Amino acid sequence: MQDKDGTIWFSNWAGAYRYDGKTFTSFTKSDGLAGSNGLVAKIIEDKNGNLWFGGDGGLSRYDGKSFQCFKNGLINSWIWTILEDKTGNLWVGTRETGLYLFNGKQFITYSEYKK
């Protein structure tokens, strides 16, 4: 993913990485990413310039200085995809348990989980 400043962000099973054209910086669970392993499956930038990371431990927001994590209300906190809609809400797809709307405070489920 390329952010509005041209910085490249990418991820793998161990965390997220930033490349500014000169240096690489890694971000892991010890930096505040959500999750047991810091696995990141998806990265997006919202219209306010915040970066959102979805992975094995929920949703993490990075404001350029620190991470804030969100997972309360998710049946399964393993996030596979994130999309911001026109109103600024985030739509989150999780592993095996469906679709959620995150309004900045809570997750609202839009699918029924069936084992």
Side-chain angles (χ1 to χ4, degrees), residues 73-91:
L74 293 173
I75 295 170
N76 182 343
S77 60
W78 194 307
I79 293 175
W80 284 109
T81 191
I82 310 164
L83 172 79
E84 182 182 27
D85 67 20
K86 290 188 280 186
T87 63
N89 292 316
L90 297 180
W91 292 88

Side-chain angles (χ1 to χ4, degrees), residues 6-60:
T7 302
I8 302 295
W9 293 84
F10 60 99
S11 63
N12 66 16
W13 295 99
Y17 305 87
R18 176 179 62 203
Y19 179 64
D20 64 7
K22 296 178 183 173
T23 59
F24 288 92
T25 305
S26 65
F27 297 90
T28 65
K29 182 181 177 183
S30 64
D31 296 301
L33 274 174
S36 58
N37 298 315
L39 177 143
V40 175
K42 183 69 176 176
I43 306 169
I44 70 162
E45 182 176 27
D46 69 19
K47 64 183 177 182
N48 296 318
N50 295 303
L51 295 174
W52 294 87
F53 301 82
D56 69 339
L59 191 61
S60 299

Side-chain angles (χ1 to χ4, degrees), residues 79-107:
I79 293 175
W80 284 109
T81 191
I82 310 164
L83 172 79
E84 182 182 27
D85 67 20
K86 290 188 280 186
T87 63
N89 292 316
L90 297 180
W91 292 88
V92 174
T94 62
R95 182 179 179 191
E96 300 175 346
T97 58
L99 178 67
Y100 296 85
L101 172 70
F102 182 68
N103 63 13
K105 297 177 184 170
Q106 65 181 355
F107 290 96

